[in-house]
Amino acid sequence: MTLFTPVSIGAINLPNRVVMAPMTRSRSTQPGDVPNAMIAEYYAQRASAGMIITEATQITPEGKGYSFTPGIHSEAQIARWKQVTDAVHAKGGRIVLQLWHVGRMSHPMFHADGKPVAPSAIAPDATVWIVDPETGEGGMVECPVPRALESDEIARVLEDYRLAARNAKAAGFDGVEIHAANRYLIDEFLRSTSNHRADAYGGSVENRIRFAIEVAEAVASEMGADRTGIRFSPFITQRGMNDPDAPQTILKLAKELDRIGLTYIHLAEADWDDAPDKADAIIDKGYVDAVAFGRPFIANPDLPRRFAEDLPLSDFDGDALFGGDAAGYTTYGVAA
């Protein structure tokens, strides 16, 4: 199967085309949103992937929207992420960090003024996973109306992205992926349903893509364009993001990203029941170079081998997806 042939994604050489997709698991150490030894073990167990894309990682405290998610903005976080990348590299793997600013998909507890930031003050009609500090119990809670970023704040956010890329490089990552999907900050700028700005960052398509272009330029200036990818979800419609023009907007943006030299675009789609066969087919047709798999990697750390040898897949524990200890995280075994 073509899925198990090597491919180069920019400067990153993959031994196979089975990529591990980013998945939030909320296991960072508190306080400080710091990666830990358990996270290092989790990713090292999955190092046989052609490439690992980490869980979404906030570029700044302002960019946080869920409890216990890791960051890449403090010295402690950089040092512990270095332990993660070392563990993956020791197993022969490749790992890139997904850079994340949640925008309006957040909760008041993460913001001094109780207001997440967004392109416009429009509530997302969505929930985020939050741990109650008094009970220690986690659950989904509604997002509030955010405050609109002032025009003179945009430069600060761009600098946050640039510094996050620099920190990712210092932590030993092979590359970075800009999270511009799933209704988070960059995606909010791209869609007319969540961006009602009248200035250079809203209105026309050319203006709505400007923020994403400037983020890409900032990140690539630190990591290198040949080690920088970006993720989109053009067909997402829920939670107030139904914009019929989104696919055309992203196509226009893609031309600008090609000019910058970004190495890949990662498109998010729904899960497939016949994933390996379908993945092989779209690679053979030249539609994609590699395919990212999410949930199957949770309970199958040796997923590429299971696909290659047509071995049965294990089911994951849905109650252990977010938060908790090693159970349902690093406790899944490899096939016999």
Side-chain angles (χ1 to χ4, degrees):
M1 295 177 73
T2 308
L3 194 58
F4 304 105
T5 60
V7 65
S8 294
I9 305 294
I12 308 172
N13 299 317
L14 283 59
N16 63 67
R17 303 172 189 233
V18 181
V19 173
M20 180 176 169
M23 291 176 285
T24 294
R25 303 303 305 276
S26 296
R27 253 69 171 197
S28 69
T29 297
Q30 303 304 311
D33 299 330
V34 179
N36 50 49
M38 184 170 61
I39 292 176
E41 180 182 3
Y42 170 75
Y43 285 119
Q45 287 174 340
R46 291 154 179 81
S48 64
M51 182 173 74
I52 294 170
I53 306 170
T54 71
E55 61 210 276
T57 301
Q58 55 257 13
I59 62 170
T60 173
E62 178 188 75
K64 181 177 179 177
Y66 300 73
S67 291
F68 298 176
T69 51
I72 188 65
H73 50 82
S74 74
E75 291 300 322
Q77 291 164 350
I78 296 168
R80 297 311 292 268
W81 272 123
K82 184 65 168 61
Q83 294 181 6
V84 175
T85 62
D86 285 348
V88 171
H89 292 153
K91 291 288 188 70
R94 294 133 302 277
I95 183 168
V96 305
L97 183 74
Q98 191 183 66
L99 303 179
W100 193 30
H101 190 307
V102 300
R104 64 182 185 169
M105 288 291 297
S106 190
H107 186 268
M109 70 182 291
F110 300 131
H111 307 275
D113 62 358
K115 292 283 189 179
V117 299
S120 301
I122 304 170
D125 186 24
T127 58
V128 290
W129 189 80
I130 301 297
V131 172
D132 187 316
E134 295 184 1
T135 67
E137 296 295 320
M140 305 303 290
V141 298
E142 292 288 333
C143 299
V145 176
R147 71 171 181 86
L149 280 165
E150 299 292 341
S151 295
D152 60 4
E153 292 183 280
I154 300 293
R156 170 180 57 76
V157 179
L158 292 172
E159 181 69 0
D160 289 337
Y161 273 102
R162 188 182 67 79
L163 291 177
R166 176 185 294 180
N167 293 343
K169 190 173 184 178
F173 283 97
D174 298 294
V176 294
E177 178 177 284
I178 300 166
H179 198 343
N182 298 13
R183 68 197 175 273
Y184 298 119
L185 184 64
I186 298 174
D187 202 16
E188 293 162 14
F189 269 97
L190 294 175
R191 297 177 189 255
S192 60
T193 49
S194 55
N195 181 6
H196 292 175
R197 302 178 73 100
D199 61 10
Y201 292 92
S204 69
V205 171
E206 289 76 13
N207 284 350
R208 291 204 308 276
I209 67 175
R210 179 180 172 184
F211 180 69
I213 292 169
E214 293 181 350
V215 168
E217 290 173 337
V219 170
S221 72
E222 293 288 342
M223 179 56 71
D226 60 349
R227 293 183 180 272
T228 301
I230 191 166
R231 190 183 202 209
F232 297 120
S233 53
F235 304 111
I236 187 173
T237 59
Q238 72 269 35
R239 299 178 175 88
M241 298 298 282
N242 187 10
D243 180 0
D245 295 330
Q248 289 302 315
T249 300
I250 290 172
L251 281 172
K252 188 174 185 66
L253 171 58
K255 293 179 180 179
E256 293 299 314
L257 300 178
D258 187 51
R259 172 185 60 78
I260 297 168
L262 259 60
T263 192
Y264 73 83
I265 289 176
H266 178 186
L267 296 178
E269 292 192 24
D271 291 335
W272 302 330
D273 291 333
D274 58 344
D277 292 336
K278 184 171 286 188
D280 221 41
I282 62 174
I283 291 172
D284 285 341
K285 290 177 181 178
Y287 296 158
V288 301
D289 295 310
V291 177
F293 298 86
R295 293 178 182 178
F297 260 113
I298 294 175
N300 302 277
D302 56 340
L303 187 66
R305 178 193 163 208
R306 296 197 191 209
F307 280 167
E309 299 179 15
D310 197 25
L311 299 174
L313 300 183
S314 300
D315 293 327
F316 63 84
D317 178 3
D319 292 333
L321 286 178
F322 305 115
D325 54 19
Y329 187 60
T330 58
T331 53
Y332 296 109
V334 299

